[in-house]
């Protein structure tokens, strides 16, 4: 019935005319099968997912107008069921734009309450979700279940984990990642929330992790990512409690057991700076009497 010719997908790779090298790289599109009925949409350094059920297709993150148009054409061409839902992972434009491409009265857009309110307050230029939730939400389709869970602040607004219960696949965007360092100086991130949220997904049942960037991994990869976050946070906090300034910490802290992570050399100092800034801003450690020397 709806199953498509997978080989056709693998051979498809387009490079539309773009003005800059960076954009051209972003426009390297392909769909990869992760598990039966579950696909990873790769768009340059970005990843989203597509879940194909007997009762319709669910698109998770539309990324941008160009990527969404390419994806819509592919889905129309290769499947004989329509897109019925779009799920946004969180509020950031570089994952949630392009929603208009799939907007239709027959398509329901789903996101966390905080994602929708951030879209409204910041006047985001994408299709706003009609269906929102505050904690967890289960989408049942074609006899299978996608569970969306909110774990508190971690990146942007309303960022959720997306668990395909029947395939044991979890999709997380930005705040957990496999094979690469967390993003530069952690702009827009909440380091304590990243740690809490990553622990929370490790409590769930799954065997395959798909990230919004970088590689597909297993539980051991996510455990190792969590170990990095905790080592990074602990090293920066302890240094701050010892009265060391940021420059000293950036010169002293080495976490070489994670040096195989992509961008380790390039981003370690930035990661340290991001954690330092958040501990200073959120925990007021530098203002504490025992640290400030008052
Ligand atoms: Zn991202």
């Amino acid at each position: 019935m709806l199953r498509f010719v997978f080989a056709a997908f693998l051979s498809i790779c387009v490079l539309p005319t773009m003005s800059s090298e960076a954009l051209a790289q972003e426009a390297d599109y392909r769909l990869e099968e992760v598990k039966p009925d579950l696909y990873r949409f790769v768009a340059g350094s970005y990843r989203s997912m597509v879940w194909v059920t007997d009762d319709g297709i669910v698109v998770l993150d539309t990324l941008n107008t160009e990527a969404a148009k390419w994806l819509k054409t592919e889905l129309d061409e290769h499947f004989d069921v329509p897109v019925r839902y779009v799920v946004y992972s969180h509020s950031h434009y570089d994952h949630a734009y392009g929603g208009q491409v799939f907007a239709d009265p027959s398509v329901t857009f789903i996101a966390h309450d905080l994602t929708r309110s951030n879209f409204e307050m910041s006047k985001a230029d994408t299709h706003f979700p009609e269906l929102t939730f505050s904690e967890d939400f289960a989408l049942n389709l074609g006899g299978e279940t996608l569970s969306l869970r909110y774990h508190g602040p971690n990146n942007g607004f309303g960022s959720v984990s997306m668990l395909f219960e029947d395939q044991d696949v979890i999709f997380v965007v930005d705040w957990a990642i496999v094979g690469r360092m967390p993003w530069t100086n952690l702009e827009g991130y909440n380091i304590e929330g990243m740690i809490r949220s990553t622990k929370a997904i490790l409590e769930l049942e799954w065997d395959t992790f798909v990230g919004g960037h970088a590689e597909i991994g297993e539980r051991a990869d996510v455990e190792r990512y969590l170990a990095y976050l905790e080592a990074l946070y602990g090293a920066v906090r302890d240094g701050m409690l010892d009265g060391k300034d940021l420059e000293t910490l950036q010169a002293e802290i080495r976490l070489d057991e994670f040096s195989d992570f992509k961008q380790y050399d390039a981003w370690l100092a930035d990661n340290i700076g991001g954690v330092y800034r958040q501990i200073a801003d959120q925990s007021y450690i530098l203002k504490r009497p025992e640290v400030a020397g008052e």
Side-chain angles (χ1 to χ4, degrees), residues 28-241:
D28 181 5
Y29 303 131
R30 65 181 189 275
L31 268 174
E32 306 169 342
E33 188 172 35
V34 176
K35 293 262 184 110
D37 306 331
L38 211 47
Y39 303 87
R40 183 172 80 146
F41 174 38
V42 175
S45 64
Y46 287 83
R47 287 94 176 86
S48 68
M49 291 198 77
V50 175
W51 177 34
V52 182
T53 80
D54 291 346
D55 294 335
I57 295 174
V58 181
V59 171
L60 298 97
D61 279 348
T62 45
L63 302 182
N64 59 69
T65 301
E66 177 105 25
K69 280 182 180 167
W70 185 90
L71 182 61
K72 186 172 190 302
T73 303
E74 287 303 293
L75 298 179
D76 288 347
E77 197 173 312
H78 294 287
F79 297 100
D80 60 7
V81 286
V83 171
R84 287 192 51 200
Y85 295 93
V86 171
V87 175
Y88 292 131
S89 63
H90 68 302
S91 61
H92 282 159
Y93 78 97
D94 56 334
H95 293 269
Y97 267 23
Q100 294 95 335
V101 172
F102 289 97
D104 184 274
S106 66
V107 178
T108 303
F109 284 64
I110 304 173
H112 191 271
D113 288 334
L114 294 173
T115 297
R116 183 177 167 105
S117 70
N118 177 251
F119 283 176
E120 289 168 349
M121 293 186 75
S122 66
K123 297 190 172 180
D125 183 17
T126 192
H127 185 85
F128 287 13
E130 295 88 19
L131 197 168
T132 66
F133 59 95
S134 60
E135 292 300 327
D136 302 339
F137 180 78
L139 177 61
N140 299 303
L141 201 63
E144 298 183 345
T145 302
L146 165 63
S147 291
L148 310 176
R149 287 182 179 83
Y150 183 60
H151 308 287
N154 41 42
N155 174 242
F157 287 97
S159 188
V160 294
S161 67
M162 296 154 278
L163 178 65
F164 298 93
E165 307 266 2
D166 301 271
Q167 288 88 354
D168 289 326
V169 173
I170 195 160
F171 179 44
V172 167
V173 175
D174 288 340
W175 48 266
I177 192 159
V178 161
R180 201 204 74 191
M181 295 283 272
W183 177 254
T184 63
N185 68 352
L186 304 177
E187 180 185 1
Y189 286 85
N190 177 317
I191 181 66
E192 292 191 16
M194 292 164 79
I195 291 170
R196 271 196 305 275
S197 302
T198 304
K199 281 181 179 167
I201 61 168
L202 283 165
E203 297 292 314
L204 304 173
E205 210 171 293
W206 51 267
D207 58 36
T208 303
F209 174 93
V210 178
H213 300 275
E215 313 304 330
I216 291 174
E218 302 172 353
R219 296 186 71 88
D221 298 306
V222 177
E223 285 164 2
R224 204 153 164 260
Y225 168 79
L226 174 62
Y228 170 76
L229 292 182
E230 292 185 314
L232 174 71
Y233 184 95
V236 175
R237 176 205 54 213
D238 291 349
M240 291 174 81
L241 290 174

Side-chain angles (χ1 to χ4, degrees), residues 249-292:
L249 295 177
Q250 285 173 322
E252 284 183 3
I253 293 173
R254 300 299 304 170
L255 300 167
D256 284 344
E257 65 263 44
F258 304 100
S259 62
D260 57 306
F261 286 3
K262 284 197 183 103
Q263 307 296 342
Y264 175 80
D265 290 325
W267 292 355
L268 178 60
D270 286 341
N271 277 194
I272 292 166
V275 172
Y276 182 96
R277 183 188 72 241
Q278 288 182 37
I279 290 178
D281 289 353
Q282 304 300 326
S283 300
Y284 284 180
I285 275 190
L286 299 178
K287 297 175 195 277
R288 287 182 185 168
E290 75 275 22
V291 174

